[in-house]
Amino acid sequence: MTTETATPTVNAAKASARDAIKANVREYGLIIALIAIMIFFQIMTKGVLFYPVNLTNIVLQNSYIIVMALGMLLVIVAGHIDLSVGSVAGFIGGAAAVLMVDYGFNPFIAAVLCIALGAVIGGVQGYFVAYMKIPSFIVTLAGMLVFKGLLLWLLSGRSLGPFPVEFQMLSAGFIPDFIGPWTLVAPTLNANGGPTPGTGIVLHATTLLIGIIIVALMLFFALKSRRNRESHGYEAEPFGFFIVKNVVMAAIIMFLMYKFASYKGLPNVLIVMAILIAGFVFLTKRMTFGRRIYAMGGNIKAAALSGIMTERLTFYIFSIMGALAGLAGLIYAARLNQATPKAGLGMELDVIAAVFVGGASAMGGIGEVAGAVIGAFIMGVMNNGMGIMGINIDWQQVIKGLVLLGAVAFDLYNKKKA
Amino acid sequence: MSDYILEMRGITKVFPGVKALENVNLKVRRGDIHAICGENGAGKSTLMKVLSGVYPYGTYDGEIYYEGKECRFTGIHDSEKLGIVIIHQELALVPMLSIAENMFLGNEQATGGMINWSVTRKRAHDLLRKVGLREDPDTLVTNIGTGKQQLVEIAKALAKDVKLLILDEPTASLSERDSQALLDLLLEFKTQGMTSIMISHKLNEIKRVADQITVIRDGQSIETMEREDVTEDRIVTSMVGRTLENRYPHRTPKIGETMFELKNWSVHHPIHPERQIIKNVNLTVRKGEVVGIAGLMGAGRTELAMSVFGRTYGVNITGEVFLHGKKADTSTVGKAVKAGLAYATEDRKVYGLNLIDHIKHNVTIANLPGVSSKAGVIDDMHELKVANEYRRKTNIRSSSVYQITGNLSGGNQQKVVLSKWLFADPDVLILDEPTRGIDVGAKYEIYTIINQLASDGKGIMIISSEMPELLGICDRIYVLNEGRIVGEMEAAEASQEKIMRAIVRGHAREEQLEAAS
Ligand SMILES: Nc1ncnc2c1ncn2[C@@H]1O[C@H](COP(=O)(O)OP(=O)(O)OP(=O)(O)O)[C@@H](O)[C@H]1O
Ligand SMILES: [Mg+2]
């Protein structure tokens, strides 16, 4: 009844290209920051950063952080924190070593057992947080100490390895090239008649094919959701902008795939990560489970009065976090090819930093999976780039700390302005 | 020529996507009580925030003259220095601090950073006396009721040497009696020469105390009326831009069998379990019936509703709930919702909304299965359609369903809470102060929705402190006093006097019982 038309509304206004860019700069600000940082280090390292082998390394070095950042995002959006993930990851790595090396377990069975153990550990902590109402900071601080100690006890101070070859493949392996290598430029032969490393261009064809499939799927879904919006009579972004955005994304994906293809192809662990990331994006954006986490983090009292089982939800979140910490512990152990008493030390801080750099709110209720992943890569690329540049570890820490603070400050400033 | 203490000229304030104020003018005479009226989202609170420096100079256009001088406030401390003090729509007291500590928060009675407690207590005591509040200054704010908290806010303003007091809907959450006391207080301050600006949706109160009334509609100042010329209808017409025939829409009740029944319901206080808050309550709601629960603030109405709805209040709960004649399990919110019960809370900020998320997500959160597949995948387009539909139905004023609920005006937040529970599609809907802070036009819309629900065969239970509202829309009214039902009457036979008499009688009986035990 009231004067709807006289109300100042904007939703009816035709979305202009400028509006779309403005809206998207905020949304893609993190990606742009990551690209800028990569270009910066590409220049500072005189081109080393983008070497195929180095890009592959960046993925391998950060895989376990990213895996845990996915769970940490849920925890932080729910309004909690988990300080125990580093210790739990280390402990699970130790348990994996004991099972496989000392007791000769089948690597696959051992891995499943270890991830389940991680989930149980997370669940126990979650129980204390959710049902006993002990602040997560305290519960997981305790967990951090407990599992750090248990790892030392488990390994009795020694390092345990090596792992069975199949298990090492988790972190050291690459996907097989089903289609066969594709030689663009034949490498020069050395005296023995074998190819000289670093010459010629031989591509991992399967990797390229996967890249093409991903780009095709991405475009398909982007178009479909655009159609869907339009058919329901809602404004979509201008077509030109839509095209440019997707072409740029496609180009970036193909560029990275090309880089991977010119080394050994896609690392196995990247496939694991990609599936997890896709799963968590879907979980948080499209599933009721994810929506409830945001609602709970935003206002737990209102969520409870809306019929959300906040306690059970919290319990599940910590269980998921535990399982992911377990998986991360396996990846880390496989990468080092041994379990060490110091494994996982301080890892939780990198994980938490990644989530906050990625735009999550410490108050809960706000944060995105994509943000956390990009946040992890931002920190990871900086580690890698500064390492190549030969910056001392002490200054690396200082710079990373400042970047964390700066990123969050910038984010808040932007939100205030908006 | 009158003497103006304040003049605001050509105020324009824009939020991203929303022009909240456009060229608003306001002149306030010295020593007046100046009322500001307008629909939800008209821009009343925003105007007062501009005046008090919450939105600093530079974030709005226009000029503010106070005591004849132009003011450019950079924050509330600037305006407070000049004696302009605002009491916001939502109370801003720290619950776990004492009354005295709250009163001097940011304005501590201290020398060199050392708080002087005896001076603090003495001054607090004097100021509390002034506002007519007999409470120990050391009492924690959390332990006193909303009415008293409002008085503490006023005492806090007095502590700052207030010359121009701004009250944003001060009586919205007060009982009839507390409201009267507060208005009397304002009138008394007026005789002492203080100027006040009061925002309110309660036209009878405005009529009672205001010297001048300025109406704002859609971010523009429409007119300023003198006390002599004002009738409630005139204000309403000016607010909504047309005449409103009736305050309460007509409905011919079609009442069916009993739908909801509460038997021997007793609840104890969660922290002091020896205190019984709800005492052996029996009540029924029939199909198509609108049942009101009247009572004074603190009578236990909200506690009753919340204890039924998933036992979200109280301990040692005994008694039975029947829905459709069958015993129902409402021991968790999830089960209560499943059984067909819904409860729209009175406190939208604390219990009603996720303030950092937008309207769309808030509307669907209590009924996510309604917009998702069995596997728990949300259908985005369906959700958007639902959100838009309820935004239209309840006439939520926002830039779109993507507006963050924390940025909505108070009344519109209330409508989001209501939308959420309408979408949950319950059989029995308990509405706790559903029109608190809502303008007359929107109230009418909400009553219409309630009527619609009733004729759709739902049972409605309404808790309200506004007796005229209960009398206007209910079929039957229960009177609750100190946790006990002390009266039940058909609306046709009910009146304010009858309800009050029931309360007084109940009170006397309660005292007898106490004396006996
Ligand atoms: N921080 C903000 N960001 C965006 N929009 C805002 C913000 N604050 C207020 N608004 C918008 O400005 C308009 C005026 O809001 P305001 O709170 O002044 O209304 P009001 O007249 O006080 O209403 P009510 O009677 O419901 O309290 C509304 O449309 C509201 O959505
Ligand atoms: Mg307001």
Side-chain angles (χ1 to χ4, degrees), chain B residues 459-512:
Chain B
I460 319 262
M461 197 161 114
I462 295 184
I463 297 171
S464 174
S465 298
E466 284 182 51
M467 282 187 223
E469 173 172 282
L470 290 180
L471 295 169
I473 57 172
C474 293
D475 301 314
R476 200 152 50 87
I477 296 172
Y478 287 103
V479 184
L480 196 70
N481 185 59
E482 295 178 45
R484 208 184 290 283
I485 300 252
V486 294
E488 178 189 350
M489 46 194 97
E490 294 296 321
E493 298 151 13
S495 67
Q496 296 212 33
E497 292 77 53
K498 260 183 135 173
I499 294 175
M500 280 317 292
R501 237 179 291 139
I503 290 174
V504 172
R505 241 183 298 128
H507 189 70
R509 215 191 91 189
E510 210 69 30
E511 276 180 348
Q512 271 176 9

Side-chain angles (χ1 to χ4, degrees), chain A residues 332-370:
Chain A
Y332 186 73
R335 183 169 152 73
L336 293 187
N337 198 14
Q338 62 177 2
T340 72
K342 288 204 147 172
L345 215 62
M347 241 182 231
E348 63 278 347
L349 300 180
D350 285 333
V351 175
I352 293 168
V355 175
F356 285 135
V357 168
S361 158
M363 315 288 286
I366 295 174
E368 290 199 10
V369 169

Side-chain angles (χ1 to χ4, degrees), chain A residues 306-318:
Chain A
S306 301
I308 294 174
M309 312 270 231
T310 51
E311 281 132 8
R312 197 191 295 175
L313 191 60
T314 305
F315 172 76
Y316 284 150
I317 292 168
F318 275 90

